[in-house]
Amino acid sequence: MENLPYSLAQQIKDKISPRTPQIALILGSGLGEFAKHIYNQLTINYSEINGFPQSTVPGHQGQLICGTLANKEILCMQGRIHLYEGYPASSVASIIKAFKLLGIKTLIVTNAAGSLHKEMAPGSLMLIKDHINLSGFNPLIGRNDETFGPRFPNMNTIYTPEYISKAQSIAKKLNIHLHQGVYCMLSGPAFETPTEVKMCQIIGADANGMSTVPETITAAYCGMKVLGISTITNYCSGVEGGSPTHQETLETAAKATTNLSQILTSFIGEL
Ligand code: HPA
């Protein structure tokens, strides 16, 4: 496992060479359609990379796409790996560490999340300004390889402040309302009970989800800049009568893809 990032990076490098993307993008549940905006696509199925965790969830295609968006080379994960699939957080970390070895400097993460507030309706977007990790795991547990980052990384500005301002000003220009809030990760796969949802509201979360945090902790540890955007797919259990299902998540995420695509394309163009 300790050598996995090196082996993943080598295999990906061999396949995408001579391309050298510096931006990685992770597409969350129901957001895979965004990939159609990428030009000059070179597609690598996760199964073609030895040791790469396989995506097992409907709505997650399970392939890496290397191509250009807004004239920038990007490496896109169409479908992610979740802890609830049985993968340890360190598997998710290995992918991000491999990205670091490939020269990725910016990580953009998207996900589907449930809203904890009446005012943040399904179909809207939330810029992640910070997170609460209630998954019970940390991707950096285990022996530390200083090549990637320090043993005790600081998480003060895990979501890059400069990127938060940039995304907000882009959304304003595009006339798209972009909420801003705290993303809370729970392991899933069961959705929360109404009482757990109340707890998340009390501790300062704005949206709940089952992903993203392992990737962003690892990226910040590796010294990458991070932008995170949640698609609000539903109200959480008990909020405004919310009673989430995976189907609702996928359908609403797909509907919000247009606004998300516009923001991401402009954002990447300005990097
Ligand atoms: N809770 C947790 N994860 C989610 C939700 C939710 O309501 N919606 C989409 N992912």
Side-chain angles (χ1 to χ4, degrees), residues 4 7-13 15-16 43-54 62-64 75 98-99:
L4 187 56
S7 140
L8 297 179
Q10 192 57 52
Q11 294 177 70
I12 298 168
K13 195 173 171 184
K15 292 185 196 296
I16 66 172
T43 302
I44 311 164
N45 203 290
Y46 297 163
S47 62
E48 294 171 54
I49 308 166
N50 283 335
F52 202 101
Q54 305 298 301
Q63 53 188 15
L64 275 180
L75 186 61
F99 287 177

Side-chain angles (χ1 to χ4, degrees), residues 103-118:
I104 298 292
K105 305 273 188 291
T106 293
L107 181 72
I108 301 172
V109 279
T110 62
N111 60 46
S115 170
L116 292 162
H117 302 295
K118 184 179 172 187

